[in-house]
Amino acid sequence: MGWQEDLKLLGEQLTSGEITTAEYRKRSESVLAEADREAAELAAAETQPTERPKPRIPVSAAWEAPSGEMTQIVGTQDKTTLVANSIADKLDRPDT
């Protein structure tokens, strides 16, 4: 019998006068607590992760196959170009 049927039976016993209001409250709280415990156990069993074997990664794997997230230095020369008489300079001085 499920917890819903248990509560229905308790309600019928209460309305027929077989049990008191205090007894109904006590027994219905017990039924609901048991239902909560069973639901929690079921949910915990369903959500436990399955153990997968972890692959062995060699220590030198980063050197053997570098990923795109590694820093790579391409060149060391600074090739900054200075521009004289830029458009920005002309916008600041409308008389030229």
Side-chain angles (χ1 to χ4, degrees):
M1 188 182 317
W3 64 270
Q4 295 94 340
E5 290 86 15
D6 289 342
L7 286 180
K8 181 179 177 183
L9 179 63
L10 284 174
E12 291 170 357
Q13 289 175 347
L14 176 65
T15 55
S16 69
E18 294 177 44
I19 60 174
T20 64
T21 306
E23 183 65 23
Y24 171 81
R25 287 184 187 141
K26 180 180 175 184
R27 289 173 59 185
S28 65
E29 286 175 3
S30 175
V31 168
L32 292 174
E34 179 67 19
D36 283 346
R37 186 187 60 75
E38 289 174 1
E41 288 175 358
L42 182 63
E46 291 176 355
T47 59
Q48 287 182 345
T50 57
E51 293 293 324
R52 294 184 204 164
K54 294 182 180 179
R56 185 188 165 286
I57 300 174
V59 175
S60 62
W63 300 110
E64 293 171 4
S67 70
E69 296 193 21
M70 296 180 78
T71 303
Q72 184 179 24
I73 299 174
V74 178
T76 58
Q77 294 181 350
D78 183 12
K79 296 185 178 182
T80 304
T81 305
L82 297 175
V83 178
N85 299 325
S86 70
I87 295 174
D89 291 339
K90 290 181 181 179
L91 290 175
D92 289 340
R93 291 180 263 142
D95 55 338
T96 41

